[in-house]
Amino acid sequence: MSWSRALSQVPRVLGAAAGAALLLFSTAPSAGATIEPFETVTIDPTGYVAPDGALTLSGTYRCLGGNGPVFVSSSLQQGDSRVRKGVGGTSAVCDGADHTWTNTDKADPGRFLPGRARVEATLMELSGGGLPLSRFHAVKQQDITLVEG
């Protein structure tokens, strides 16, 4: 490959790298990040784990607007593990009213046990033309108690 051809590829390669970095940073919310103070997500203080590994988490949310689909996602962490388990996702309605959300999923039996756990709930919109970009409406982290149920 000639030097002129190699140099002509630099802007394309740098553009792709910059786009990847932008996507990476745009999808990583800070703990407790909220775009607007009237947009909220809460987590109920009790979650449920069944003997077969079925998990249920819930709470409330409120948001306005949105040009793309909006979801409430949640993840669960327990004990010393830094590994989080994604627990479902619920479509959200952004009309300014308070709504409830409930996410369910299944983990390996015995992975999560009744007791203290940490939940993160995120109210996120996918927007933009072409490649969807995430817009975070609200994020909340909270300790909860998992009970058998």
Side-chain angles (χ1 to χ4, degrees), residues 40-42 58-63 70-74 87-93 99-103 120-124:
T40 61
V41 64
T42 69
S58 57
T60 64
Y61 72 89
R62 181 178 61 233
C63 57
V70 180
F71 302 94
V72 180
S73 64
S74 57
V87 179
T90 302
S91 294
V93 177
H99 297 276
T100 60
W101 63 268
T102 301
N103 289 346
E120 180 174 285
T122 305
L123 184 59
M124 181 190 73

Side-chain angles (χ1 to χ4, degrees), residues 3-114:
W3 277 105
S4 61
R5 180 174 159 108
L7 289 174
S8 72
Q9 298 299 313
V10 170
R12 183 180 63 82
V13 172
L14 288 177
L22 179 61
L23 181 62
L24 175 65
F25 290 113
S26 72
T27 60
S30 62
T34 300
I35 300 292
E36 301 291 343
F38 54 84
E39 295 188 307
T40 61
V41 64
T42 69
I43 301 165
D44 289 340
T46 302
Y48 299 91
V49 58
D52 68 355
L55 300 165
T56 303
L57 303 173
S58 57
T60 64
Y61 72 89
R62 181 178 61 233
C63 57
L64 282 175
N67 296 322
V70 180
F71 302 94
V72 180
S73 64
S74 57
S75 63
L76 181 65
Q77 174 185 1
Q78 191 173 45
D80 293 335
S81 174
R82 293 184 181 255
V83 176
R84 293 182 165 275
K85 161 81 173 128
V87 179
T90 302
S91 294
V93 177
C94 288
D95 60 3
D98 288 328
H99 297 276
T100 60
W101 63 268
T102 301
N103 289 346
T104 60
D105 205 344
K106 194 165 185 179
D108 291 333
R111 178 172 176 195
F112 294 101
L113 302 171

